[in-house]
Amino acid sequence: MRLIMRQSEKDVAVWTANYIVQRISFFSPVPGEPPSKPFVLGLPTGSTPIEIYQALVGRHNAGLVSFENVTTFNMDEYVGLAPDHPQSYHKFMDDHLFSHVNIAKEHIHILDGCADNLKAECAAYEEAIKKAGGIELFLGGIGEDGHIAFNEPGSSLTSRTRVVALTRETREVNARFFSRVDEVPKQALSVGVGTVMDAREVVIVAAGKRKARAIAACVEGPVTQMCTASCLQMHPNVTVVCDEAAIAELKYGTVQYYLEAEKRCK
Ligand code: GLP
């Protein structure tokens, strides 16, 4: 694991956007489906990625990155929210990223939470990821209880894309986007922990004091289904990017180790 510590949420966004731009450019994606080579990028929603998307749009407008040969797969979507619902993740992605960059509609994949057959929708999503050649880089946030995507505590660490029941805690946290907690859907479609683990690289971003407990459990805690992000300790290529507030519950020695490691990697 690599742990990148930056002062503010803005610095986390800048580091992450620059990193993604660099990864896409080193990869040199070429058009079309495999065997030609799109850059397959997994994407999250939530508040933390918003500044990252703004920074990516800025770099796209400055001609520093093209999304022409990028294929995306979003992590999750609420069950029962139509794509044009103001709080759907389809709408979120369109508002914050897709409508501002040169990505083709057919390269965007987001689970359909209104599909007639949700199980078939999830199975088809796993197939589509495979067909695209697997995910090159999965960007993710982290929930206050340590969830990645919508893999709530208790999710199997080998889970695949499926229908999940949201916890009361997650629905309360996400109620800030709705008028009341009762309006937050009780279920979602989510890639599984196993789906994230299959990505060739995972980058997790966290900012703010409310993420400190989850970050400590993810980085230092035991690998447990009660904090699904802790499974990333078993991934060979994972970077966790945090601001100062989000590392508040890490041990002093842990912070010193990763600071030293980052200096040596320069
Ligand atoms: C939701 C999303 C997660 C995201 C989490 C944290 O639960 N399903 O993918 O990581 O929110 O989001 P935020 O960045 O708003 O704290």
Side-chain angles (χ1 to χ4, degrees), residues 60-172:
H60 168 264
N61 292 341
L64 299 173
V65 63
S66 167
F67 288 83
E68 201 184 345
N69 301 317
V70 174
T71 291
T72 62
F73 285 88
N74 262 83
M75 287 191 140
D76 42 23
E77 177 58 289
Y78 289 114
V79 167
L81 296 195
D84 60 353
H85 186 284
Q87 296 313 330
S88 80
Y89 288 166
H90 280 77
K91 180 85 171 61
F92 175 98
M93 290 307 300
D94 208 44
D95 288 351
H96 292 287
L97 183 66
F98 296 147
S99 64
H100 307 287
V101 296
N102 62 337
I103 187 163
K105 273 206 164 60
E106 54 278 19
H107 293 171
I108 297 171
H109 302 84
I110 308 183
L111 285 152
D112 178 1
C114 290
D116 291 336
N117 184 338
L118 294 175
K119 218 174 153 186
E121 172 68 11
C122 294
Y125 206 66
E126 288 279 339
E127 273 313 304
I129 293 174
K130 240 189 248 166
K131 199 173 158 220
I135 291 174
E136 185 62 27
L137 189 161
F138 224 135
L139 175 66
I142 187 166
E144 292 181 28
D145 56 7
H147 68 239
I148 35 169
F150 265 136
N151 293 290
E152 299 283 33
S155 298
S156 158
L157 298 183
T158 59
S159 51
R160 311 302 308 186
T161 306
R162 67 209 186 288
V163 182
V164 294
L166 301 180
T167 63
R168 179 80 196 173
E169 184 183 353
T170 293
R171 293 179 62 237
E172 276 167 5

Side-chain angles (χ1 to χ4, degrees), residues 45-49 76 89 141-142 147 149-150 174 176 210-211:
T45 55
S47 310
T48 322
D76 42 23
Y89 288 166
I142 187 166
H147 68 239
F150 265 136
N174 288 1
R176 67 192 192 279
R210 66 191 179 91
K211 297 297 171 68

